[in-house]
Amino acid sequence: MSLNREKYLTLVTLLEQLRSDATTTQIVAPELRRRVASLQQFFGQQIVPLADEDWRVQSYQTEMSKQLRLLEIDVMFLQGARQASTAQTRLQTISDRLTILIEYCDAILQPEAEGEK
């Protein structure tokens, strides 16, 4: 298994854990914010430096970077939510954004998986 593949799989695991925690437990906004910051740090340190000649992978990385920034904004909006219904809507938006990030990782990993068969 390539090191790049392992890093993307680790990112998927982190994203899935966060999505699960955000939707099934009463995670507090400051904790969610800390975990999103940790995700961004992992992405910046482990994923961004992966040099890839494939323009498709670079495009996904660019989109992932944008989604991570939007995720941070979503968490800030969640912190500002005063009503339970608003907070629930924000959590759903966060969950949807995490799903998009997972799908991007899966799309990057897919060609490698087919090439290994």
Side-chain angles (χ1 to χ4, degrees):
M1 181 183 291
S2 75
L3 185 60
N4 290 7
R5 184 169 172 76
E6 283 183 35
K7 287 181 180 182
Y8 279 107
L9 289 172
T10 300
L11 180 60
V12 167
T13 302
L14 293 171
L15 291 166
E16 287 174 341
Q17 282 177 329
L18 184 58
R19 182 178 63 182
S20 174
D21 290 348
T23 56
T24 59
T25 62
Q26 287 289 26
I27 191 167
V28 292
E31 170 67 10
L32 190 58
R33 191 174 196 162
R34 185 191 63 73
R35 290 182 57 188
V36 167
S38 176
L39 256 177
Q40 289 174 317
Q41 183 179 12
F42 178 85
F43 183 80
Q45 292 175 348
Q46 302 292 322
I47 303 295
V48 171
L50 299 177
D52 200 311
E53 300 297 315
D54 187 350
W55 63 269
R56 194 182 63 78
V57 173
Q58 289 177 349
S59 295
Y60 279 119
Q61 282 186 345
T62 300
E63 286 301 312
M64 289 169 73
S65 178
K66 183 170 62 174
Q67 290 295 325
L68 282 168
R69 287 192 309 272
L70 291 170
L71 181 61
E72 182 181 18
I73 292 168
D74 291 336
V75 172
M76 283 191 289
F77 282 150
L78 173 64
Q79 281 186 292
R82 298 287 175 243
Q83 297 180 349
S85 61
T86 305
Q88 197 56 46
T89 302
R90 299 290 183 208
L91 282 171
Q92 184 59 51
T93 302
I94 289 167
S95 176
D96 293 346
R97 200 165 307 282
L98 289 165
T99 300
I100 291 168
L101 284 161
I102 291 166
E103 288 170 355
Y104 287 161
C105 288
D106 288 344
I108 290 170
L109 291 167
Q110 201 60 37
E112 283 189 45
E114 290 174 6
E116 290 173 359
K117 291 180 181 173

